[in-house]
Amino acid sequence: MRIDVISVIPGLLDGPFSHSILKRANEKGLFEVVVHDLKKFGLGKNNQIDDYQYGGGAGMVMMIEPIESCINSLRAERAYDEIIYLTPDGVTYNQGIANELSLKQNLILLCGHYKGVDERVREHFITRELSIGDFVLSGGELAAALIVDSIGRLLPGVLGDESSALFDSFQDSMLAPPIYTRPSEYNGWKVPDVLLSGNDKLIDDWRNDQAMKRTEERRPDLLTED
Ligand code: ADE
């Protein structure tokens, strides 16, 4: 899978994509993430990418032309399944959307900045708009990093333990159960006996019960979703 990220501040994304799981996925050829500097497609000698908004008001608006040029340069190389705009007024991102997007071949993520993009970009180029929560970031880059991470770890072969992403919180609309590692007792705090029992059936039942209990206590809304 390949994800192209279009950004005004590409440097913001140097860190998140060059470590740990994503780095290994890239090295194994499973997942390619390429960040593009929108300024390279800017207009005139100053590589202008934004302008004042019609009708007045504070804040600059990202112009259509540089965005279209950047998108077209990518489309000339390959077909894209989706062009996604990251914006606080998009659909709230969740595990279901991560699962869905992880099945695609090529995605473009467009990071908003300043006031955002000219509405016509949204109308004519964007296939989906996503928000990572009800708060406003200074730009879409951190949202893009989060989305890329959550998709990348779902790709076959990316996580060491092939099955582990299946048991994450939210995969069954449930939170994950508590987990423990050695030592089995610390300061008198003991690991639940059942986990040391070696009985897989009992352990599975206990984990399911705990996942349900945790979900009921912390996120009852997940249990009423379709
Ligand atoms: N850009 C600014 N805030 C955002 C948010 N909450 N989600 C996605 N993109 C954003």
Side-chain angles (χ1 to χ4, degrees), residues 19-65:
H19 293 284
S20 176
I21 290 174
L22 292 188
K23 185 175 172 208
R24 261 182 285 132
N26 196 329
E27 285 163 359
K28 285 192 212 164
L30 300 169
F31 191 34
E32 195 177 0
V33 183
V34 185
V35 183
H36 304 273
D37 185 353
L38 186 62
K39 284 234 168 73
K40 291 198 178 135
F41 299 86
L43 306 184
K45 63 175 178 351
N46 293 325
N47 297 103
Q48 187 183 353
I49 50 152
D50 59 346
D51 211 334
Y52 297 102
Q53 51 176 317
Y54 280 122
M60 305 294 274
V61 178
M62 291 166 71
M63 294 188 294
I64 302 176
E65 253 184 283

Coordinates of all heavy atoms in Angstrom, one line a residue, residues 19-65:
H19 N 10.4 5.9 12.2 CA 10.7 5.0 13.4 C 9.9 3.8 13.4 O 8.8 3.7 12.8 CB 10.4 5.8 14.7 CG 11.3 7.0 14.8 ND1 12.6 6.9 15.2 CD2 11.2 8.3 14.6 CE1 13.2 8.1 15.2 NE2 12.3 9.0 14.8
S20 N 10.4 2.8 14.2 CA 9.7 1.7 14.6 C 8.9 1.0 13.5 O 9.4 0.6 12.5 CB 8.8 2.1 15.8 OG 7.9 1.1 16.2
I21 N 7.6 0.7 13.8 CA 6.8 -0.1 12.9 C 6.7 0.4 11.5 O 6.9 -0.4 10.5 CB 5.4 -0.3 13.5 CG1 5.4 -1.1 14.8 CG2 4.4 -0.9 12.5 CD1 4.1 -1.2 15.5
L22 N 6.5 1.7 11.3 CA 6.3 2.2 10.0 C 7.6 2.2 9.2 O 7.6 1.9 8.0 CB 5.8 3.7 10.0 CG 4.4 3.8 10.5 CD1 3.9 5.2 10.3 CD2 3.4 2.9 9.8
K23 N 8.7 2.4 9.9 CA 10.0 2.3 9.3 C 10.3 0.9 8.8 O 10.7 0.7 7.6 CB 11.1 2.7 10.2 CG 12.5 2.8 9.6 CD 13.5 3.3 10.6 CE 14.9 3.2 10.0 NZ 15.9 3.0 11.1
R24 N 10.0 -0.1 9.6 CA 10.2 -1.5 9.2 C 9.3 -1.9 8.1 O 9.7 -2.6 7.1 CB 10.0 -2.4 10.4 CG 11.3 -2.8 11.1 CD 11.1 -3.8 12.2 NE 10.6 -3.1 13.4 CZ 9.6 -3.5 14.1 NH1 8.9 -4.6 13.8 NH2 9.2 -2.8 15.2
A25 N 8.0 -1.4 8.1 CA 7.1 -1.8 7.1 C 7.6 -1.2 5.7 O 7.5 -1.9 4.7 CB 5.7 -1.2 7.4
N26 N 8.1 0.0 5.8 CA 8.7 0.6 4.6 C 9.9 -0.2 4.1 O 10.0 -0.5 2.9 CB 9.1 2.0 5.0 CG 9.3 2.9 3.7 OD1 9.7 2.4 2.7 ND2 9.0 4.2 3.8
E27 N 10.8 -0.6 5.0 CA 11.9 -1.3 4.6 C 11.6 -2.7 4.0 O 12.2 -3.2 3.1 CB 12.9 -1.5 5.8 CG 13.6 -0.2 6.1 CD 14.3 -0.2 7.5 OE1 14.1 -1.3 8.2 OE2 14.9 0.8 7.9
K28 N 10.5 -3.3 4.5 CA 10.1 -4.6 4.0 C 9.3 -4.4 2.7 O 8.8 -5.4 2.1 CB 9.1 -5.3 5.0 CG 9.8 -5.9 6.2 CD 8.8 -6.8 7.0 CE 9.1 -6.8 8.4 NZ 7.9 -7.4 9.2
G29 N 9.0 -3.2 2.3 CA 8.3 -2.9 1.0 C 6.8 -3.2 1.1 O 6.1 -3.3 0.2
L30 N 6.3 -3.1 2.4 CA 4.9 -3.4 2.6 C 4.1 -2.1 2.6 O 2.9 -2.1 2.3 CB 4.7 -4.1 4.0 CG 5.4 -5.4 4.2 CD1 5.3 -5.8 5.7 CD2 4.7 -6.5 3.3
F31 N 4.7 -1.0 2.8 CA 4.0 0.2 3.1 C 4.9 1.4 2.7 O 6.0 1.5 3.3 CB 3.6 0.3 4.6 CG 2.7 1.3 4.9 CD1 1.6 1.7 4.1 CD2 2.7 2.0 6.2 CE1 0.7 2.7 4.5 CE2 1.8 2.9 6.6 CZ 0.8 3.3 5.7
E32 N 4.4 2.2 1.8 CA 5.2 3.3 1.4 C 4.5 4.6 1.7 O 3.3 4.7 1.3 CB 5.5 3.3 -0.2 CG 6.6 4.2 -0.6 CD 6.8 4.0 -2.1 OE1 6.1 3.2 -2.8 OE2 7.7 4.7 -2.6
V33 N 5.1 5.5 2.4 CA 4.5 6.8 2.8 C 5.4 7.9 2.2 O 6.6 7.9 2.5 CB 4.3 6.9 4.3 CG1 3.6 8.3 4.6 CG2 3.6 5.8 4.9
V34 N 4.8 8.7 1.4 CA 5.6 9.8 0.7 C 5.0 11.1 1.1 O 3.8 11.3 0.9 CB 5.7 9.6 -0.8 CG1 6.7 10.6 -1.4 CG2 6.2 8.2 -1.1
V35 N 5.8 12.0 1.6 CA 5.3 13.4 1.9 C 5.7 14.4 0.9 O 6.8 14.4 0.4 CB 5.8 13.8 3.3 CG1 5.2 15.1 3.7 CG2 5.5 12.7 4.4
H36 N 4.7 15.2 0.4 CA 5.0 16.2 -0.6 C 4.8 17.6 -0.1 O 3.8 17.9 0.6 CB 4.0 15.9 -1.8 CG 4.1 14.5 -2.3 ND1 4.9 14.1 -3.3 CD2 3.4 13.4 -2.0 CE1 4.8 12.8 -3.5 NE2 3.8 12.4 -2.7
D37 N 5.8 18.4 -0.5 CA 5.7 19.8 0.0 C 4.9 20.6 -1.0 O 5.2 20.8 -2.2 CB 7.2 20.3 0.0 CG 7.2 21.7 0.5 OD1 6.2 22.3 0.8 OD2 8.4 22.2 0.7
L38 N 3.7 21.1 -0.5 CA 2.8 21.8 -1.4 C 3.4 23.1 -2.0 O 3.1 23.5 -3.1 CB 1.5 22.1 -0.6 CG 0.4 22.8 -1.5 CD1 -0.1 21.8 -2.6 CD2 -0.8 23.2 -0.6
K39 N 4.3 23.6 -1.2 CA 5.0 24.9 -1.7 C 5.7 24.7 -3.1 O 5.7 25.6 -3.8 CB 6.0 25.3 -0.7 CG 5.4 25.9 0.6 CD 6.1 27.3 0.8 CE 5.3 28.1 1.9 NZ 5.5 27.6 3.2
K40 N 6.1 23.5 -3.3 CA 6.8 23.2 -4.6 C 5.8 23.5 -5.8 O 6.2 23.6 -6.9 CB 7.3 21.8 -4.7 CG 8.5 21.6 -3.8 CD 9.2 20.3 -4.2 CE 10.4 20.1 -3.3 NZ 10.6 18.7 -2.8
F41 N 4.5 23.5 -5.5 CA 3.5 23.7 -6.5 C 2.9 25.1 -6.4 O 1.9 25.3 -7.1 CB 2.4 22.6 -6.4 CG 3.0 21.2 -6.6 CD1 3.5 20.5 -5.5 CD2 3.0 20.6 -7.9 CE1 4.1 19.2 -5.7 CE2 3.5 19.3 -8.0 CZ 4.1 18.7 -7.0
G42 N 3.5 25.9 -5.6 CA 3.0 27.2 -5.4 C 3.1 28.1 -6.6 O 3.8 27.8 -7.5
L43 N 2.4 29.3 -6.6 CA 2.3 30.1 -7.7 C 3.4 31.3 -7.6 O 3.6 31.8 -6.5 CB 0.9 30.8 -7.8 CG -0.3 29.8 -7.8 CD1 -1.5 30.6 -8.0 CD2 -0.1 28.8 -8.9
G44 N 3.9 31.6 -8.8 CA 4.8 32.8 -8.9 C 6.2 32.5 -8.2 O 6.5 31.4 -7.8
K45 N 6.9 33.6 -8.1 CA 8.3 33.5 -7.6 C 8.3 33.2 -6.1 O 9.3 32.7 -5.6 CB 9.2 34.6 -8.0 CG 8.8 36.0 -7.5 CD 9.8 37.0 -7.9 CE 9.6 38.4 -7.4 NZ 8.4 38.9 -6.9
N46 N 7.2 33.5 -5.5 CA 7.2 33.2 -4.0 C 6.5 31.9 -3.7 O 6.3 31.6 -2.5 CB 6.4 34.3 -3.3 CG 7.2 35.6 -3.3 OD1 8.4 35.6 -3.3 ND2 6.5 36.8 -3.4
N47 N 6.2 31.2 -4.7 CA 5.5 29.9 -4.5 C 4.3 30.0 -3.6 O 4.1 29.3 -2.6 CB 6.5 28.8 -3.9 CG 7.6 28.5 -4.8 OD1 8.7 29.0 -4.6 ND2 7.3 27.8 -5.9
Q48 N 3.5 31.0 -4.0 CA 2.3 31.3 -3.1 C 1.3 30.1 -3.1 O 1.0 29.5 -4.2 CB 1.6 32.5 -3.7 CG 0.5 33.0 -2.8 CD -0.2 34.2 -3.4 OE1 0.2 34.7 -4.5 NE2 -1.3 34.6 -2.8
I49 N 0.8 29.8 -1.9 CA -0.2 28.7 -1.9 C -1.5 29.1 -1.2 O -2.4 28.3 -1.1 CB 0.4 27.5 -1.1 CG1 1.0 27.9 0.2 CG2 1.4 26.7 -1.9 CD1 0.9 26.9 1.3
D50 N -1.5 30.3 -0.6 CA -2.7 30.7 0.1 C -3.0 32.2 -0.3 O -2.2 32.9 -0.8 CB -2.5 30.6 1.6 CG -1.4 31.4 2.1 OD1 -0.5 31.8 1.4 OD2 -1.3 31.5 3.4
D51 N -4.2 32.6 0.0 CA -4.6 34.0 -0.3 C -5.7 34.4 0.7 O -6.3 33.6 1.4 CB -5.0 34.1 -1.7 CG -4.7 35.5 -2.3 OD1 -4.7 36.5 -1.6 OD2 -4.6 35.6 -3.6
Y52 N -6.1 35.7 0.6 CA -7.1 36.2 1.5 C -8.5 35.6 1.1 O -8.7 35.3 -0.1 CB -7.2 37.8 1.4 CG -5.9 38.4 1.9 CD1 -5.0 38.9 1.1 CD2 -5.7 38.5 3.3 CE1 -3.8 39.4 1.5 CE2 -4.5 39.0 3.8 CZ -3.6 39.5 2.9 OH -2.4 40.0 3.4
Q53 N -9.4 35.6 2.0 CA -10.7 35.0 1.7 C -11.6 36.0 1.1 O -11.7 37.2 1.6 CB -11.3 34.2 2.8 CG -11.5 34.9 4.2 CD -12.2 34.1 5.2 OE1 -13.2 33.4 4.8 NE2 -11.7 34.0 6.4
Y54 N -12.4 35.6 0.1 CA -13.4 36.5 -0.5 C -14.4 36.8 0.6 O -14.8 35.9 1.4 CB -14.1 35.8 -1.7 CG -13.3 35.9 -3.0 CD1 -13.0 34.7 -3.6 CD2 -13.0 37.1 -3.5 CE1 -12.2 34.8 -4.8 CE2 -12.3 37.2 -4.7 CZ -11.9 36.1 -5.3 OH -11.2 36.1 -6.5
G55 N -14.9 38.0 0.6 CA -15.9 38.4 1.6 C -15.3 38.9 2.9 O -16.0 39.4 3.8
G56 N -14.0 38.9 3.0 CA -13.3 39.4 4.1 C -13.2 38.4 5.3 O -13.8 37.3 5.2
G57 N -12.5 38.8 6.3 CA -12.4 37.9 7.5 C -10.9 37.5 7.7 O -10.1 37.5 6.7
A58 N -10.6 37.2 8.9 CA -9.2 36.8 9.3 C -8.9 35.5 8.8 O -9.8 34.6 8.6 CB -9.1 36.9 10.8
G59 N -7.6 35.3 8.5 CA -7.1 33.9 8.1 C -7.0 33.7 6.6 O -7.9 34.2 5.8
M60 N -6.0 33.0 6.2 CA -5.7 32.8 4.8 C -6.4 31.5 4.4 O -6.6 30.6 5.2 CB -4.2 32.7 4.5 CG -3.5 33.9 5.0 SD -3.9 35.4 4.0 CE -2.7 35.2 2.7
V61 N -6.6 31.4 3.1 CA -7.3 30.2 2.5 C -6.3 29.5 1.5 O -5.7 30.2 0.7 CB -8.6 30.6 1.8 CG1 -9.2 29.3 1.2 CG2 -9.5 31.3 2.8
M62 N -6.2 28.2 1.6 CA -5.3 27.5 0.6 C -6.0 27.5 -0.8 O -7.1 27.1 -0.9 CB -5.0 26.1 1.1 CG -4.2 26.0 2.4 SD -4.2 24.4 3.2 CE -3.2 23.4 2.1
M63 N -5.2 27.9 -1.8 CA -5.7 28.0 -3.1 C -5.9 26.7 -3.9 O -5.2 25.7 -3.6 CB -4.8 28.9 -3.9 CG -4.7 30.4 -3.4 SD -3.8 31.4 -4.5 CE -2.1 30.7 -4.4
I64 N -6.7 26.7 -4.9 CA -7.0 25.5 -5.6 C -5.8 25.1 -6.5 O -5.4 23.9 -6.5 CB -8.2 25.7 -6.6 CG1 -9.4 26.2 -5.9 CG2 -8.5 24.4 -7.4 CD1 -10.6 26.5 -6.9
E65 N -5.2 26.0 -7.2 CA -4.2 25.7 -8.2 C -3.1 24.8 -7.7 O -2.8 23.8 -8.3 CB -3.7 26.9 -8.9 CG -4.2 27.1 -10.3 CD -3.6 28.4 -10.9 OE1 -4.1 29.5 -10.5 OE2 -2.7 28.2 -11.7

